[in-house]
Amino acid sequence: MNLKSSSMQLTSKERAWLPWFGENGKLSLGRSCYLNKSIYPVIEQTFEGIAATRVQLLKVWANSQWDHLGAIKSILVQYESSGLKYCLNSKCNELADFSELFVIDDKGYILASSYEPRIGKIHDQHSAIKQATNSKRFLHGPYIDRDTLNIGPSSSKFHDEVTLMFYLPIELANQSSLFLCGRVPNDVLGDIIQREAGHIYSESGDNYLFMVDAKFDPNIQYRYSLVSLTI
């Protein structure tokens, strides 16, 4: 059988993550795979379709957030610095998925934020800020950020410190480098995928297939699921 999954470049760590014993261990699943080997192509095609649909959902969602931020940026340039906080508060309340909207300079100094305790502090993701400086826009994450936990959830009832961060440069007449940033708790993405479909295979214990070989930030660890995708 000519299967795409047979050519996956899995590391030794990825090949070894299942335990040997138990209902979902290597021995049990190995036997199940052997007995069902004749339907491998059907299973692979099913998962290819699931993965393609979910990748498209996430792309549509991300592009929608960029559109929202672009609209906010066009409004922010009309405000004096004293009015930025009011604008960010208002827009953050309107956009369900963002837990914080804030404006920083190129050193990470927070000039205004919808979450007042962060105003005047340093947003310490300096590598991401540098990357955003060289880009028209930059999406960083998911990564661990304690502030996300402290600020609280947005549209998802599940919540932890895992974070997605949007950076959109703001061009000003005096050539100052500012960035409009949007914080999204990562569980928002989980909810998007959860709404798309229920469990496909009961053995998986998970109904989404994720993720990610981090190129920009190698410190971001793999999140293992039934399949590992590199994007």
Side-chain angles (χ1 to χ4, degrees), residues 125 128 138-143 163-167 216-217 220:
Q125 296 294 325
F138 182 59
L139 174 56
H140 182 209
Y143 66 95
T163 305
L164 294 172
M165 192 70 71
F166 290 78
Y167 296 84
F216 166 73
D217 186 355
I220 295 176

Side-chain angles (χ1 to χ4, degrees), residues 3 10 30 58 68 105-106 113 153 156 172 196 198 219 224:
L3 300 175
L10 300 176
L58 295 179
H68 290 315
D105 64 17
D106 58 356
S113 172
S156 176
L172 299 178
E196 183 267 333
N219 291 320
Y224 291 103

Side-chain angles (χ1 to χ4, degrees), residues 158-169:
F158 302 102
H159 186 61
D160 59 20
E161 65 268 35
V162 184
T163 305
L164 294 172
M165 192 70 71
F166 290 78
Y167 296 84
L168 187 63

Side-chain angles (χ1 to χ4, degrees), residues 150-209:
N150 294 335
I151 291 170
S154 56
S155 59
S156 176
K157 65 180 181 180
F158 302 102
H159 186 61
D160 59 20
E161 65 268 35
V162 184
T163 305
L164 294 172
M165 192 70 71
F166 290 78
Y167 296 84
L168 187 63
I170 302 175
E171 300 82 15
L172 299 178
N174 63 3
Q175 303 301 312
S176 297
S177 296
L178 300 182
F179 302 90
L180 171 61
C181 305
R183 179 190 304 273
V184 177
N186 192 59
D187 282 307
V188 171
L189 290 191
D191 283 2
I192 293 170
I193 298 169
Q194 296 272 0
R195 289 195 296 266
E196 183 267 333
H199 290 282
I200 306 302
Y201 293 98
S202 58
E203 295 91 344
S204 74
D206 219 342
N207 68 344
Y208 55 93
L209 310 178

Side-chain angles (χ1 to χ4, degrees), residues 42-83:
V42 175
I43 294 173
E44 184 175 274
Q45 186 176 14
T46 299
F47 276 102
E48 285 285 327
I50 296 167
T53 298
R54 290 171 179 177
V55 167
Q56 185 60 30
L57 280 172
L58 295 179
K59 286 182 177 179
V60 169
W61 175 84
N63 286 330
S64 176
Q65 307 318 305
W66 285 123
D67 289 342
H68 290 315
L69 291 174
I72 295 171
K73 183 179 85 167
S74 66
I75 297 172
L76 285 180
V77 296
Q78 304 173 26
Y79 275 79
E80 300 293 335
S81 58
S82 58

